[in-house]
Amino acid sequence: MTLSSLKPRPLIAGNWKMNGLAQALDEARAVAGGVDARPAAARVAICPPATLLHRLSQALEGSSVLTGGQDCHVRTSGAHTGDIAAAMLVDAGAALVILGHSERREDHGETSALVAAKVEAALAAGLEPIICVGESLARREAGSALQVVTAQVRESLPAALAGQAFSIAYEPIWAIGTGRTATIADIEEMHASIRAQLISMFGESGKAPPILYGGSVKPDNAAEILRAAEVGGALVGGASLKAADFLAIIAAA
Ligand code: PEP
């Protein structure tokens, strides 16, 4: 197998977080209309809150735009009030799931070991995981960003990922929703380090998974970020809530 045949298309995924009521479906329809009218170089996904997932998946049926969840439980069913099993996401139309987002690691105390178990649950249900990693500002300023993220990759990725479709999203916590982005040099250094870690864990197939960048990606910085070495797409928060902004980012891929 050649290296080029290992390279999947970039992925641009919108993370709506805890935003969106029924009327937000119109934004998603506008995204799908734009993507389907002018097919994108990248695969495109929208990950809405769980309450909208089924309706959004139905609204986008027939479109190339995929839908995804924002988390899943490690178990397939049972007494876990408020949680959602991976198969439930699939049942609601999801093809992907974001796992280990820093907001879940921070707000819900998710460890990398838990994230790895969630990845296994997602794979078992047939979902493609987007596994998030990223350092805090304190860790970056202490000069330990590379070590922190390498450890997160090592501990959040189970062996079951070998040969499976998945992506990593590098999201420096201090760049999420703040309007600050990492420099291109910092992004390239981190993505190269993540790639090296993937190859050390999975061998040749570690060259394939796209490494997305996330953290205040906007229409005016997307092209430069998406052109950077080893950037295989973007995980987009705030700017994915407005169809026009999200479409401009998709067009830059
Ligand atoms: C995110 O949280 O996944 C994210 C990248 O958010 P934002 O684009 O708003 O910084």
Side-chain angles (χ1 to χ4, degrees):
M1 192 181 279
T2 63
L3 182 54
S4 59
S5 69
L6 282 170
K7 283 279 169 218
R9 287 164 74 200
L11 173 64
I12 306 290
N15 174 12
W16 282 9
K17 311 191 185 192
M18 198 174 71
N19 295 294
L21 301 175
Q23 67 200 32
L25 296 174
D26 289 339
E27 292 298 321
R29 283 192 196 95
V31 170
V35 169
D36 294 335
R38 189 170 167 271
R43 293 193 304 148
V44 177
I46 298 176
C47 303
T51 47
L52 285 181
L53 183 56
H54 187 237
R55 276 178 288 173
L56 195 142
S57 301
Q58 284 189 323
L60 300 190
E61 214 172 285
S63 154
S64 63
V65 177
L66 303 167
T67 61
Q70 298 179 7
D71 178 45
C72 72
H73 197 271
V74 297
R75 305 251 179 257
T76 52
S77 63
H80 303 287
T81 303
D83 280 314
I84 301 175
M88 293 171 176
L89 297 176
V90 175
D91 195 41
L96 303 101
V97 61
I98 299 169
L99 293 172
H101 191 282
S102 59
E103 287 152 15
R104 294 213 57 89
R105 290 179 189 260
E106 289 193 336
D107 297 356
H108 299 272
E110 292 196 3
T111 61
S112 291
L114 180 65
V115 174
K118 290 185 173 199
V119 172
E120 286 181 342
L123 291 176
L127 288 169
E128 178 181 329
I130 301 170
I131 304 150
C132 301
V133 294
E135 81 285 358
S136 63
L137 186 58
R139 293 306 192 112
R140 169 132 315 250
E141 286 176 348
S144 54
L146 289 172
Q147 290 100 296
V148 167
V149 171
T150 300
Q152 286 177 336
V153 172
R154 190 175 56 241
E155 292 161 17
S156 305
L157 273 56
L161 278 172
Q164 301 287 328
F166 71 96
S167 54
I168 302 287
Y170 167 56
E171 302 202 303
I173 296 170
W174 46 272
I176 294 178
T178 60
R180 289 180 64 179
T181 48
T183 66
I184 297 298
D186 287 341
I187 294 172
E188 290 188 336
E189 180 185 43
M190 186 61 82
H191 282 224
S193 162
I194 293 171
R195 178 66 68 206
Q197 180 60 25
L198 289 174
I199 292 169
S200 98
M201 292 171 75
F202 299 109
E204 190 73 2
S205 70
K207 293 178 178 169
I211 305 172
L212 319 184
Y213 172 77
S216 299
V217 176
K218 308 277 181 224
D220 61 359
N221 61 18
E224 191 188 14
I225 292 170
L226 290 167
R227 264 198 316 271
E230 283 293 9
V231 173
L235 184 55
V236 185
S240 70
L241 296 171
K242 288 268 163 280
D245 287 353
F246 196 43
L247 282 168
I249 292 169
I250 293 163

